[in-house]
Amino acid sequence: MTEPSVQHSAGLRRLTLTAFRNYPSLRLECGAAPVVLSGPNGGGKTNILEAISLLAPGRGLRRASLEDCQCRTADEPWAVAAEIDGPAGFTMLATGLDPESPGLPRRLVRIDGKPVKSQARLTEHLSLAWITPELDRILAETQSARRKFLDRLVYGFDPAHAGRVARYESAMRERLRLLRDGPHEPAWLNALEDEMAKSGVAIAAARLQMAAQLNRQMQGVTGAFPAAQLRLEGAVESELEKNPALVAEDALRAQFAAARGQDRQSGATSIGAHRSDVQVIHRPKNMPSELCSTGEQKALLVTVMLCHAQLLRHWRGVAPMLLLDDVAAHLDEVRRAALYDWLLAIGGQFWLTATDADLCAPLRGRAQFFHVHHGAVEPLPGL
C-alpha cells in the first residue's frame, strides 16, 4: 500500500457549530494532524462528523433532513462553519439553514463569506469521504442501495454526476405519470425518453469508469484487508460494452418506446440505469459480499473506501479528508493497526470516533485526541 508522497493536504483548523444537533454552540480548534473523538454513545461524536460532512454537496453522512439537524433548545437556525487550510491557503466554508425560508427549508452555502448558488463549489476547496456503521449494510442490501453507494463514489470525481442522476430520475417519474394518466402527446414522451437515454448512458458510463479505476487500484491490496472487485450488471452497461455511447442511446430510446405498454400496466420502468446492479466481490475467495461474514463485509468496505481515497489523492493532488464513525470498534487488533497505517499513508487529515480512546492507541503521538461528552469537547491530556 505504499504510495508516493502527497504534494498538498487539506485539513480543518477550526470548526464552529451553531444550533446544530446537540450543540447550541461549539468552537473546536485543531491542528493539521488526524483527530480522534472519543466518549460515550450519545455524547455528540457522530454529530461533529455529520456537521463536517455537510461541507460537501448533498445531505451529509446521515442523509438527514434539514430540520433534523436543528438543535431543539436553540431558536436560531443551525449553521456549520469551518476554516480549511488547503493548497490555496485558508478558506472559510459555511453552510446552514436559511433563516428567511422557514416554510420551505433551504440550505445556504457560503465560501469566504460570499453566498454561492451551487453546493458543487464546495468541492473546489475540500474533498470529503466517510465510512459509517450504516454503510456496513450497503454491501448486503438492495440493488438500489449499492447503486447509490457507487454513485456517491463517482461524485468525488465528477460532481455533475449528481445532476445527471437527478435529471434521469425526474424524467422517469414524469414518463410514468404520463403513461399512467394519459392521454399524452407522443412528442412529450419522446422528449422524456430522449433525456432518460442520454442521462442513463452517461450515468452508466461514469459508473463503469469508476469501477474500472477502483478495480485497478484494488488489485494491489495485500495484507490485513482483502482485495475487492466491483462488477456492474445491467442492460445499459452491456450495451456500452458493445457499442459507442451514441449507439447505446439510440438502443435505449427504442427500448423505452417498446416498453410503454408494459410500463403503463406495471407502474414501473422496466429498463434503464436504475435497474443496474453493483456487486462487490471478495477477490481472494471470489465470493459476492452478501455471502461474506459481517467482518469480511466491513473489511471489504474499508478496502473500497480507502482505495477510492487514494484515487482522489492522485487525481486532485490533495488527499481527501476522511470521516470514520465507530469503525475501529468492529475490527480486530491486527486490522485496526493496518487501518491506521493505511490512513496515515494516504496523508490527509482524518477524523475518527470511538467510545474508548484506547482503541486508537497506535495513533498516540500522531493524532489529536478529544473527549466528547454531552455536547462538550475537550482535549485529552497526554494523548
Side-chain angles (χ1 to χ4, degrees):
M1 297 179 187
T2 302
E3 296 290 338
S5 60
V6 183
Q7 294 179 346
H8 304 285
S9 63
L12 192 152
R13 299 296 179 265
R14 178 186 299 139
L15 178 68
T16 304
L17 306 184
T18 303
F20 186 86
R21 294 287 188 179
N22 67 325
Y23 293 98
S25 178
L26 174 70
R27 183 183 176 97
L28 177 60
E29 305 274 356
C30 58
V35 176
V36 175
L37 304 173
S38 65
N41 290 327
K45 304 184 300 296
T46 303
N47 292 343
I48 292 176
L49 297 195
E50 181 185 25
I52 297 172
S53 74
L54 289 169
L55 299 174
R59 295 170 58 187
L61 58 81
R62 278 196 178 110
R63 296 190 58 78
S65 68
L66 295 176
E67 301 98 313
D68 285 345
C69 296
Q70 181 66 38
C71 178
R72 303 306 178 193
T73 62
D75 295 327
E76 57 190 324
W78 68 263
V80 176
E83 188 176 89
I84 304 297
D85 184 11
F90 284 94
T91 303
M92 181 62 72
L93 305 181
T95 188
L97 198 60
D98 185 354
E100 298 180 2
S101 182
L104 183 63
R106 188 167 68 98
R107 179 180 164 196
L108 298 177
V109 175
R110 295 180 182 272
I111 298 176
D112 287 331
K114 299 177 181 179
V116 296
K117 293 182 179 180
S118 173
Q119 295 179 19
R121 290 283 309 278
L122 292 167
T123 61
E124 299 172 9
H125 304 277
L126 182 63
S127 176
L128 281 169
W130 49 79
I131 303 177
T132 68
E134 288 72 24
L135 277 182
D136 293 350
R137 299 188 295 270
I138 288 289
L139 302 187
E141 280 193 349
T142 63
Q143 293 183 11
S144 174
R146 291 194 293 269
R147 282 195 304 272
K148 289 178 180 177
F149 170 66
L150 180 57
D151 284 336
R152 181 75 205 183
L153 299 183
V154 176
Y155 298 157
F157 292 85
D158 182 10
H161 185 69
R164 291 191 289 268
V165 172
R167 290 193 300 274
Y168 177 86
E169 293 178 347
S170 176
M172 182 171 63
R173 288 192 298 269
E174 182 65 11
R175 173 180 177 271
L176 282 175
R177 187 189 67 79
L178 289 178
L179 290 175
R180 182 188 66 239
D181 297 344
H184 50 262
E185 290 289 337
W188 197 349
L189 271 178
N190 290 340
L192 291 170
E193 290 169 354
D194 179 66
E195 177 60 51
M196 289 174 64
K198 290 178 179 177
S199 297
V201 167
I203 290 166
R207 289 171 177 168
L208 285 168
Q209 184 180 29
M210 184 77 264
Q213 291 175 329
L214 273 170
N215 286 339
R216 285 194 293 271
Q217 185 71 27
M218 292 188 294
Q219 280 181 343
V221 173
T222 59
F225 291 95
Q229 183 179 20
L230 299 183
R231 294 177 185 170
L232 272 71
E233 300 175 354
V236 186
E237 287 79 8
S238 296
E239 194 69 40
L240 275 172
E241 289 173 353
K242 296 181 295 185
N243 296 305
L246 291 177
V247 175
E249 288 177 14
D250 289 339
L252 201 54
R253 288 187 195 93
Q255 292 171 38
F256 286 142
R260 289 175 184 176
Q262 175 186 343
D263 293 352
R264 179 170 52 250
Q265 290 183 349
S266 67
T269 305
S270 55
I271 194 168
H274 65 292
R275 294 287 185 179
S276 302
D277 191 18
V278 182
Q279 290 288 329
V280 180
I281 307 299
H282 189 300
R283 193 190 293 265
K285 293 185 175 182
N286 193 28
M287 181 184 293
S289 59
E290 59 265 33
L291 302 181
C292 294
S293 70
T294 301
E296 287 174 328
Q297 289 176 1
K298 179 174 283 292
L300 286 168
L301 180 64
V302 169
T303 295
V304 173
M305 293 303 297
L306 296 196
C307 283
H308 180 257
Q310 289 174 312
L311 285 173
L312 279 172
R313 187 187 73 173
H314 291 315
W315 181 65
R316 298 185 62 145
V318 180
M321 184 185 299
L322 296 170
L323 311 175
L324 300 101
D325 189 24
D326 200 28
V327 172
H330 303 285
L331 299 174
D332 58 38
E333 187 175 353
V334 172
R335 279 186 171 156
R336 279 201 300 270
L339 171 66
Y340 302 147
D341 288 342
W342 198 350
L343 289 168
L344 291 168
I346 290 173
Q349 188 184 55
F350 57 88
W351 291 62
L352 280 166
T353 68
T355 54
D356 186 349
D358 288 341
L359 291 172
C360 304
L363 292 172
R364 287 174 179 164
R366 297 188 284 182
Q368 309 162 84
F369 283 72
F370 295 89
H371 182 70
V372 182
H373 184 63
H374 291 318
V377 183
E378 298 177 349
L380 277 175
L383 291 176

